[in-house]
Amino acid sequence: MSSKSKSLILVRRLLVWTLYFFSGFILYSYKGFLPSFLITFSRIIYPLSIFWLQIRLKKRTNFLHIDSKMTTSQLWFNLLPVIASLLTVIFSLINTFFYFLAKIISS
């Protein structure tokens, strides 16, 4: 892998993490623009999703490890963090989008 592609990957990851941290800042600092149960869910799961993603990135394992030998409980143990994290990412980004939309409309 060349130095140029490594730096490109680093810049992409930096942009994604910056956007995600900024959306978390908006999620915790301002009034939510989504229904309250989605905001509450996102506020609870947001720190867990960062922790879960860091573990997955550090270990360099698959995000969704599913094997035919898994029991139902093992499968759910692997699926629930992925589903919760994806929903949190979606809700926090939508909330950020609505925040910026409200700022644009009000000014």
Side-chain angles (χ1 to χ4, degrees):
M1 192 178 250
S2 69
S3 161
K4 187 176 181 180
S5 65
K6 285 184 180 180
S7 64
L8 186 62
I9 290 172
L10 180 66
V11 169
R12 285 182 189 168
R13 283 188 182 175
L14 186 62
L15 288 173
V16 168
W17 278 110
T18 303
L19 176 65
Y20 192 53
F21 284 136
F22 183 70
S23 66
F25 174 74
I26 291 173
L27 183 68
Y28 284 104
S29 299
Y30 299 103
K31 176 183 74 90
F33 295 93
L34 296 175
S36 64
F37 69 94
L38 294 178
I39 295 296
T40 304
F41 173 80
S42 298
R43 286 180 179 167
I44 292 170
I45 302 296
Y46 181 83
L48 297 173
S49 68
I50 292 173
F51 177 71
W52 179 82
L53 286 172
Q54 285 291 21
I55 288 174
R56 294 294 177 146
L57 288 174
K58 192 169 186 171
K59 288 184 178 181
R60 297 190 185 270
T61 59
N62 293 337
F63 282 110
L64 195 57
H65 178 71
I66 298 177
D67 194 3
S68 62
K69 299 173 186 170
M70 293 178 128
T71 64
T72 304
S73 61
Q74 290 172 328
L75 181 65
W76 279 113
F77 184 75
N78 285 326
L79 280 177
L80 286 178
V82 173
I83 293 169
S85 295
L86 285 175
L87 288 174
T88 302
V89 168
I90 291 168
F91 295 152
S92 65
L93 291 176
I94 289 173
N95 189 51
T96 303
F97 174 74
F98 284 149
Y99 170 78
F100 282 128
L101 192 64
K103 286 289 185 183
I104 290 171
I105 290 173
S106 68
S107 57

